[in-house]
Amino acid sequence: MDRKKFLKSLGAVTLGGVTAAGLPLSSIAQKRNMSDHMFFDISLAQWSLNRSYFGPSREVGKGEIDPLYFARHARQRYDIGAIEYVNQFYFGKAEDQQYLNELKNVADNEGVESVLIMCDGEGNLGDPDSADRQQAVENHYKWVNMASFLGCHAIRVNAASQGTYEEQMERAADGLRSLTEYADDEGISVVVENHGGLSSNADWLVGTIEMVDHPNCGTLPDFGNFRISEDEMYDYYEGTEKLMEHAKGVSAKTYDFDEEGNETTLDVMRLMRIVKDAGYTGYVGIEYEGNRLSEDEGIKATKALLEKVGAELTD
């Protein structure tokens, strides 16, 4: 049995309406963040807790939270039934079959759905050197396999490149297409976040995705990541609207809140109306990155705001 098949065999198989973890399927459905009063579901991006994971030393494993129990923390602390992993907290673990089995069991036992894995630090998918570009593609394979095993629908990648506007688009599209073709065999989508540089230019990112021309390659609009350079910003609202055409996920970035619980940098109501108007009904991930509130307070404030906005926007 090859590695991919072995990983899949470790997953939660269904037997008479019960998962391998012993949790009834009906129980999982009830514990998901599905809501009758909102048009979307809420997930928790692991980066919201990055200080708790890294600790003062900024080293994984030195913080107060163990990444192995992310799903338990999301459920028991915030009553959130879906999570978005960050690969930085699992370097050296993506091919550790015993660890992956434990990670999946934690999520299954909490009735928490694994949504995606955010991937960084694996090379530039739009590298000007074709060999380095291909190496970056292959570096992502293990995260695709891990996502498939955990039951995620996607991995989030970056589209970093060098060169002219057109050259970067062509190079990034080439790397993304190659990775998407691999991920397609595993039932995993590849989504690109606006994450600095030209990727924060919505016109460029949309053009790149359309050049990839694959149904399993799309965008992950982040409400706050529209800084192209030190001197150039793309409009938050126009950018979100354009990226929503290809969205397979949404990241609700927040920084701070006023006394009424509204985000002070971004008009979340306006942004979520754009999301709704695009016909999106999937997960919206909480990604708190503020400093005034603690991570715990920021996550709770973001969740409360999304629930308030969601109720108001849902017919």
Side-chain angles (χ1 to χ4, degrees):
M1 180 181 294
D2 65 26
R3 181 183 171 280
K4 292 182 190 177
K5 291 180 179 178
F6 178 71
L7 279 175
K8 287 182 177 179
S9 73
L10 291 175
V13 295
T14 303
L15 295 173
V18 180
T19 66
L23 193 65
L25 291 178
S26 59
S27 182
I28 291 179
Q30 291 169 1
K31 289 185 178 182
R32 279 190 60 189
N33 227 37
M34 297 295 288
S35 172
D36 291 335
H37 67 278
M38 297 200 303
F39 68 89
F40 62 94
D41 292 331
I42 293 176
S43 54
L44 177 63
Q46 196 167 22
W47 191 253
S48 297
L49 292 160
N50 73 88
R51 285 175 290 177
S52 296
Y53 283 112
F54 285 129
S57 66
R58 299 301 290 175
E59 293 182 40
V60 175
K62 302 296 184 179
E64 60 190 63
I65 302 177
D66 186 339
L68 178 64
Y69 301 106
F70 175 37
R72 181 179 300 169
H73 197 81
R75 171 62 75 190
Q76 297 186 7
R77 182 66 179 173
Y78 308 111
D79 193 25
I80 293 176
I83 52 177
E84 303 175 9
Y85 301 92
V86 172
N87 73 334
Q88 294 181 53
F89 303 127
Y90 302 99
F91 282 150
K93 301 292 188 181
E95 298 177 294
D96 183 333
Q97 296 165 353
Q98 181 176 354
Y99 184 89
L100 294 182
N101 202 37
E102 293 175 359
L103 188 66
K104 183 171 175 57
N105 282 340
V106 172
D108 287 346
N109 289 336
E110 295 294 337
V112 169
E113 182 170 351
S114 297
V115 177
L116 56 81
I117 302 175
M118 296 186 175
C119 301
D120 303 289
E122 293 292 7
N124 294 334
L125 292 171
D127 197 289
D129 184 279
S130 59
D132 289 342
R133 185 162 66 244
Q134 181 58 31
Q135 184 60 59
V137 169
E138 294 177 11
N139 289 345
H140 285 80
Y141 287 174
K142 59 183 174 290
W143 303 112
V144 170
N145 298 338
M146 176 176 169
S148 178
F149 168 67
L150 292 176
C152 300
H153 78 88
I155 62 167
R156 189 278 282 148
V157 302
N158 299 300
S161 185
Q162 297 177 33
T164 67
Y165 185 100
E166 292 77 14
E167 287 172 339
Q168 292 194 53
M169 184 179 289
E170 292 172 359
R171 291 163 178 168
D174 179 66
L176 287 168
R177 185 183 303 109
S178 180
L179 178 58
T180 301
E181 289 171 352
Y182 175 87
D184 189 39
D185 290 338
E186 294 296 310
I188 298 296
S189 292
V190 174
V191 296
V192 186
E193 181 182 350
N194 46 309
H195 211 189
L198 278 177
S199 74
S200 290
N201 180 323
D203 299 308
W204 182 88
L205 185 50
V206 168
T208 300
I209 296 300
E210 291 179 348
M211 188 175 288
V212 174
D213 192 25
H214 194 293
N216 282 353
C217 186
T219 61
L220 181 74
D222 184 300
F223 291 165
N225 283 355
F226 284 101
R227 179 166 294 283
I228 300 170
S229 67
E230 185 175 345
D231 303 318
E232 186 178 6
M233 282 282 295
Y234 202 96
D235 183 79
Y236 297 124
Y237 310 100
E238 181 182 354
T240 298
E241 184 173 5
K242 289 182 177 180
L243 295 181
M244 284 306 303
E245 181 180 354
H246 300 283
K248 295 181 181 293
V250 173
S251 184
K253 182 68 60 61
T254 56
Y255 303 99
D256 203 0
F257 301 84
D258 62 23
E259 293 181 356
E260 286 72 44
N262 296 310
E263 221 287 332
T264 57
T265 302
L266 302 163
D267 186 339
V268 174
M269 173 65 80
R270 181 179 174 186
L271 287 162
M272 288 302 295
R273 184 174 288 112
I274 291 171
V275 171
K276 182 184 180 183
D277 289 346
Y280 182 82
T281 57
Y283 284 105
V284 174
I286 293 172
E287 191 168 45
Y288 171 68
E289 286 193 356
N291 295 312
R292 187 181 65 84
L293 299 179
S294 68
E295 291 177 327
D296 191 63
E297 293 169 327
I299 291 169
K300 291 177 179 178
T302 306
K303 184 187 179 195
L305 179 56
L306 287 175
E307 290 174 336
K308 174 184 174 183
V309 169
E312 291 182 18
L313 288 178
T314 301
D315 297 330

